[in-house]
C-alpha cells in the first residue's frame, strides 16, 4: 500500500487534529496508508512514528491540541545533540522517509516548520505544507485555522472583563498573543467592544490612550477596556521581552507589555487599573466550527495534492477557495495589519482608539 506521512510542528493550535483526520480519511479513500511522526521533526530524526488508521483518528474533529505532539525547537538542520551543541540531522529525515516508503510528507506548521520543510524539499524530500498559526500572520493565505477560535476565546474574556470593569469603575487591560501582527487583538477588540486597541503595527502614546479613557470618564463612563497585543511596542522602545532562552530556535519569549500599559494608564489617569494576560488559553481547547471546516478543507486538499505527486507547495485560502502556493512563496512574507485596513477604519469610526493621533 502506498504511504503518506504527516507531522505537526511549531506551537499548537485548535484544528490540528481536524487536519490530521481529514488527511487520513482522504488518503485512506485513495488507497494510501498514513504514518504520523511524533513531536514534529524529532519524530523523523529519531524514527518515532505511529500508524494513523480509522481507529486512531476517531473522535479527533473537535479535539484541541495535536495527538502527534509538537515542539518549536527541533530543527533537523540544527538538531540539539545534548551537550548544548547542534548537528545537521537532515539526512536522517530523508533516510526515514525513504526506509518507510513515504511518497510525500504533509507538514502542518507555521513559518518555522514550513521553512524547514522547504529546505528538506530542496534536498530531495517530497512534501506538502499546511499553514497553521493562531496569529493569522502568513501572507500566502487569507486565513489560518486556529485564528477564529483564538478570537472567540479573547472575545469571551473581554465580555467578562467588561462586567467587572464597569462594576468597579476600573480600567481593565487584556494582553493577547500576536507576535508580529495584531490580528487577534484587532478582531477580538472590535468584537468585544474594547475602547483602546494597541497592536504592533501602530505606534501609540500614553497621552493618546489616557485622553481616550479620560474622555470616556467625562462622558459618564468611568471604566474602560484596553486590548494590547503581546508584540505591541513600548512607547519610544521595542517589543517587551519576558525572557531570552539560550540555545532555543525561538529564543525570544514576549510578555510584559500588558503590565507596562496598565502601569502607564494608572499613572496618567489616576484610575485604578488591572491587567490580565490571556496567554496559552488562546491556543488550547476545541476548535470553533469555522476552524473545523477550514482545517478539514486544508487536510483534504493537502492529501489530494500529495497523492497526485505534487510537492514543494503549501495549501492556502484565496478568498473562499482552497488553493496552493509554492513553499518558497509561502514562507517569504508575514501578513501584518495594514494601518489603513478597512477594519481599522471601521473601528475608528465607532470611537475605538489605537493610541495614536488619528490620521
Ligand atoms: O505564533 C503563535 C504564538 O501564539 C505567538 O503569538 C506567541 O508569541 C507564541 O506562539 C508563544 O509560543 P510558546 O508556546 O513557545 O510560548
Amino acid at each position: 500500500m502506498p504511504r503518506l506521512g504527516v507531522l505537526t510542528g511549531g506551537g499548537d493550535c485548535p484544528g490540528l487534529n481536524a487536519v490530521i483526520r481529514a488527511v487520513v480519511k482522504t488518503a485512506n479513500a485513495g488507497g494510501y496508508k498514513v504514518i504520523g511522526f511524533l513531536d514534529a521533526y524529532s519524530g523523523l530524526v529519531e524514527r518515532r512514528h505511529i500508524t494513523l488508521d480509522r481507529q486512531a483518528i476517531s473522535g479527533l474533529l473537535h479535539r484541541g491540541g495535536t495527538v502527534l505532539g509538537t515542539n518549536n525547537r527541533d530543527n533537523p538542520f540544527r538538531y540539539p545533540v545534548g551537550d548544548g551543541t547542534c548537528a545537521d540531522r537532515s539526512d536522517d529525515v530523508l533516510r526515514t522517509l525513504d526506509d518507510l516508503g513515504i511518497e510525500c510528507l504533509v507538514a502542518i506548521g507555521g513559518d518555522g516548520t514550513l521553512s524547514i520543510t522547504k529546505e528538506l524539499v530542496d534536498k530531495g524530500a517530497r512534501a506538502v505544507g499546511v499553514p497553521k498559526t493562531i496569529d493569522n500572520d502568513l501572507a500566502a493565505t487569507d486565513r489560518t485555522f486556529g485564528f477564529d477560535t483564538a478570537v472567540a476565546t479573547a472575545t469571551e474574556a473581554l465580555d467578562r472583563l467588561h462586567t467587572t470593569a464597569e462594576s468597579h469603575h476600573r480600567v481593565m487591560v487584556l494582553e493577547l498573543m500576536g507576535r508580529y501582527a495584531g490580528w487577534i487583538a484587532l478582531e477580538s477588540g472590535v468584537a468585544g467592544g474594547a475602547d483602546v486597541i494597541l497592536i504592533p503595527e501602530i505606534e501609540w502614546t500614553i497621552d493618546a490612550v489616557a485622553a481616550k479613557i479620560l474622555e470616556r470618564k467625562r462622558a459618564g463612563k468611568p471604566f474602560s477596556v484596553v486590548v494590547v497585543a503581546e508584540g505591541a511596542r513600548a512607547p519610544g522602545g521595542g517589543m517587551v521581552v519576558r525572557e531570552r532562552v539560550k540555545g532555543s530556535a525561538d529564543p525570544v519569549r514576549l510578555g510584559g507589555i500588558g503590565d507596562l500599559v496598565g502601569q502607564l494608564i494608572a499613572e496618567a489617569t489616576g484610575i485604578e487599573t488591572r491587567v490580565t494576560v490571556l496567554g496559552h488559553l488562546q491556543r488550547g481547547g476545541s476548535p470553533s466550527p469555522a476552524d473545523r471546516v477550514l482545517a478539514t478543507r486544508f487536510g483534504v486538499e493537502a492529501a489530494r495534492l500529495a497523492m497526485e505527486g505534487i510537492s514543494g507547495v503549501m495549501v492556502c485560502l484565496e478568498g473562499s477557495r482552497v488553493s496552493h502556493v509554492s513553499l518558497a512563496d509561502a514562507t517569504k512574507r508575514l501578513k501584518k495589519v495594514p494601518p489603513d485596513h478597512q477594519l481599522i477604519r471601521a473601528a475608528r469610526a465607532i470611537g475605538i482608539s489605537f493610541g495614536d493621533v488619528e490620521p
Side-chain angles (χ1 to χ4, degrees):
M1 211 181 199
R3 290 172 166 194
L4 297 184
V6 62
L7 63 77
T8 50
D12 71 343
C13 126
L16 288 170
N17 283 326
V19 181
I20 295 168
R21 170 180 176 268
V23 168
V24 174
K25 284 194 171 217
T26 312
N28 287 173
Y32 277 71
K33 182 174 172 177
V34 181
I35 304 293
F37 293 97
L38 301 178
D39 302 327
Y41 273 108
S42 312
L44 266 155
V45 171
E46 296 163 10
R47 293 186 179 236
R48 290 188 287 114
H49 48 83
I50 54 173
T51 298
L52 289 169
D53 53 16
R54 293 296 287 231
Q55 181 62 29
I57 58 160
S58 175
L60 280 196
L61 178 61
H62 60 274
R63 230 165 106 180
T66 162
V67 286
L68 291 177
T70 189
N71 70 58
N72 46 16
R73 300 179 310 269
D74 300 342
N75 178 345
F77 290 92
R78 285 170 287 283
Y79 204 73
V81 286
D83 54 355
T85 57
C86 293
D88 183 350
R89 301 282 307 269
S90 56
D91 286 337
D92 293 325
V93 171
L94 298 193
R95 217 168 293 125
T96 305
L97 289 171
D98 211 36
D99 290 351
L100 291 174
I102 307 279
E103 268 181 31
C104 186
L105 175 72
V106 175
I108 313 165
D111 52 347
T113 304
L114 295 171
S115 302
I116 294 168
T117 307
K118 185 194 167 293
E119 272 189 79
L120 288 166
V121 168
D122 292 345
K123 258 192 106 154
R126 303 191 61 75
V128 170
V130 176
K132 164 260 33 150
T133 158
I134 62 161
D135 293 356
N136 197 33
D137 60 357
L138 288 177
T141 182
D142 287 343
R143 277 256 159 169
T144 46
F145 61 87
F147 173 64
D148 185 71
T149 309
V151 169
T153 304
T155 303
E156 195 201 329
L158 283 168
D159 290 348
R160 291 175 187 276
L161 289 174
H162 249 109
T163 59
T164 169
E166 189 168 5
S167 308
H168 282 267
H169 317 303
R170 281 175 174 161
V171 175
M172 288 294 186
V173 176
L174 180 65
E175 179 183 309
L176 295 174
M177 282 188 172
R179 227 177 153 71
Y180 305 112
W183 295 108
I184 298 176
L186 174 60
E187 287 212 5
S188 63
V190 172
D195 305 297
V196 178
I197 301 174
L198 304 177
I199 59 174
E201 295 86 347
I202 297 179
E203 215 174 296
W204 58 277
T205 65
I206 189 58
D207 289 350
V209 173
K212 173 71 193 175
I213 291 168
L214 292 172
E215 172 202 310
R216 278 177 54 79
K217 189 176 177 186
R218 280 194 299 276
K221 301 263 187 182
F223 68 95
S224 289
V225 172
V226 176
V227 172
V228 54
E230 64 179 352
R233 278 148 223 285
M239 293 195 295
V240 180
V241 175
R242 182 165 43 85
E243 86 179 295
R244 286 177 203 276
V245 184
K246 266 201 188 150
S248 166
D250 195 5
V252 177
R253 306 280 145 85
L254 296 180
I257 185 71
D259 282 328
L260 178 68
V261 168
Q263 186 197 323
L264 293 174
I265 288 174
E267 282 165 14
T269 64
I271 301 176
E272 215 182 332
T273 302
R274 295 286 188 272
V275 178
T276 303
V277 179
L278 201 55
H280 290 78
L281 287 173
Q282 293 158 95
R283 291 229 306 250
S286 190
S288 68
D291 281 339
R292 295 179 200 187
V293 171
L294 184 58
T296 299
R297 293 178 74 195
F298 277 176
V300 167
E301 183 65 358
R304 195 187 65 74
L305 292 166
M307 289 189 294
E308 273 181 15
I310 294 168
S311 169
V313 297
M314 178 192 87
V315 300
C316 63
L317 192 70
E318 274 175 19
S320 57
R321 262 189 71 248
V322 171
S323 179
H324 60 272
V325 289
S326 76
L327 272 176
D329 287 339
T331 49
K332 240 183 242 160
R333 253 181 341 109
L334 279 180
K335 178 175 63 196
K336 299 200 166 213
V337 179
D340 63 343
H341 191 274
Q342 235 188 6
L343 186 54
I344 299 259
R345 284 191 271 127
R348 289 194 198 277
I350 57 164
I352 295 175
S353 165
F354 288 86
D356 58 344
V357 180
E358 290 210 15

